[in-house]
């Protein structure tokens, strides 16, 4: 694929095709994972948005299509405790907040949604530290506990050393349709725009 919009379109189509029937990453073998990684890196190399955290393209709701962070998908949980339906991430760069939502169906006709809201702390033009603010479990809100003195000291030490905070999200590709992010653990996240008015 070449450069420009046509080249990006071809790469995105190839990536989405490679993601098909992987159940967001739960069903992949080594060869498929390598192909997905290769296509993701090709898109990252052509990222048209050089300062994602300053771009309105980041704003809105995104649906997770694939991740190597299998705990997000509930890999080691019983089937009825795995997320059903879409897993969304809503980003607001103006308030520097991100909201993750997932729906569950533990029993027939029993559905509920969990959500977490986190504050973002911009570290570079593409990377933001992520600090949990609150959780909502089946509609019940819980505030995140305050940091312990040892956690605060560790965060300060990491920031002073240039290592950043304990958790961060680095947006390595974003345009009007797709976003690719990587975490501090090296996990890959591929999302597509899914704003409510697009439903």
């Amino acid at each position: 694929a070449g450069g420009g919009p046509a080249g990006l379109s071809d790469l995105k189509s190839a990536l989405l095709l490679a993601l098909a029937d992987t159940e967001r990453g739960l069903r992949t073998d080594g060869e498929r994972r390598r192909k997905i990684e290769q296509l993701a890196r090709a898109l990252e190399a052509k990222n048209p948005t050089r300062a994602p955290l300053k771009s309105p393209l980041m704003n809105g709701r995104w649906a997770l299509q694939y991740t190597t962070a299998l705990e997000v998908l509930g890999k080691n949980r019983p089937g009825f405790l795995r997320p059903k339906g879409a897993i969304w991430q809503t980003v607001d760069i103006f308030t520097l907040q991100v909201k993750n939502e997932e729906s569950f169906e533990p029993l027939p006709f029993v559905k509920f949604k969990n959500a977490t809201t986190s504050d973002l702390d911009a570290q570079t033009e593409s990377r933001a530290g992520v600090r949990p603010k609150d959780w909502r479990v089946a509609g019940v809100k819980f505030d995140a506990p305050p940091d312990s003195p040892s956690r605060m000291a560790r965060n300060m030490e990491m920031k002073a050393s240039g290592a950043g905070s304990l958790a961060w999200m680095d947006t390595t590709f974003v345009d009007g349709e797709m976003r690719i992010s990587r975490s501090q653990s090296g996990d890959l996240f591929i999302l597509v725009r899914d704003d409510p008015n697009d439903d």
Side-chain angles (χ1 to χ4, degrees):
L8 286 180
S9 179
D10 290 343
L11 278 172
K12 288 187 291 186
S13 296
L15 179 56
L16 291 175
L17 184 62
L19 302 183
D21 71 25
T22 65
E23 291 187 24
R24 292 184 286 226
L26 281 174
R27 294 181 178 272
T28 54
D29 56 22
E31 182 178 352
R32 180 76 70 94
R33 284 191 294 273
R34 284 190 293 272
K35 181 176 182 181
I36 291 169
E37 177 69 21
Q38 181 181 30
L39 289 166
R41 287 187 179 275
L43 275 168
E44 289 168 329
K46 298 177 181 295
N47 181 21
T49 309
R50 295 302 171 190
L53 291 181
K54 295 181 178 180
S55 172
L57 289 173
M58 286 285 291
N59 282 335
R61 191 177 75 176
W62 301 85
L64 181 66
Q65 304 299 300
Y66 174 86
T67 182
T68 56
L70 299 184
E71 67 276 6
V72 171
L73 306 176
K75 180 181 181 182
N76 296 318
R77 294 183 233 158
F80 67 92
L81 286 178
R82 292 178 182 172
K84 304 290 184 184
I87 297 176
W88 289 302
Q89 184 176 80
T90 303
V91 179
D92 188 332
I93 63 167
F94 300 114
T95 62
L96 286 176
Q97 285 194 341
V98 60
K99 182 179 181 180
N100 295 313
E101 299 174 274
E102 53 187 13
S103 56
F104 294 84
E105 191 173 344
L107 297 168
F109 309 110
V110 177
K111 298 181 180 180
F112 65 90
K113 186 181 292 185
N114 289 352
T116 62
T117 302
S118 299
D119 290 325
L120 300 177
D121 175 22
Q123 298 175 354
T124 70
E125 291 183 336
S126 67
R127 180 179 297 182
V130 181
R131 182 180 298 276
K133 182 179 180 182
D134 61 58
W135 290 269
R136 291 183 185 270
V137 179
V140 180
K141 181 179 177 182
F142 301 89
D143 291 331
D147 282 345
S148 65
S150 62
R151 174 67 178 270
M152 291 172 63
R154 185 167 51 174
N155 282 351
M156 289 175 64
E157 179 182 350
M158 293 184 75
K159 286 185 178 181
S161 68
S165 60
L166 293 179
W168 48 256
M169 175 182 69
D170 196 2
T171 298
T172 52
F173 176 93
V174 64
D175 66 4
E177 301 172 330
M178 181 176 286
R179 179 161 62 89
I180 300 175
S181 296
R182 295 184 185 267
S183 70
Q184 77 286 350
S185 58
D187 283 305
L188 172 66
F189 297 82
I190 300 172
L191 308 95
V192 297
R193 186 171 296 281
D194 185 26
D195 288 323
N197 58 3
D198 294 338
D199 292 347

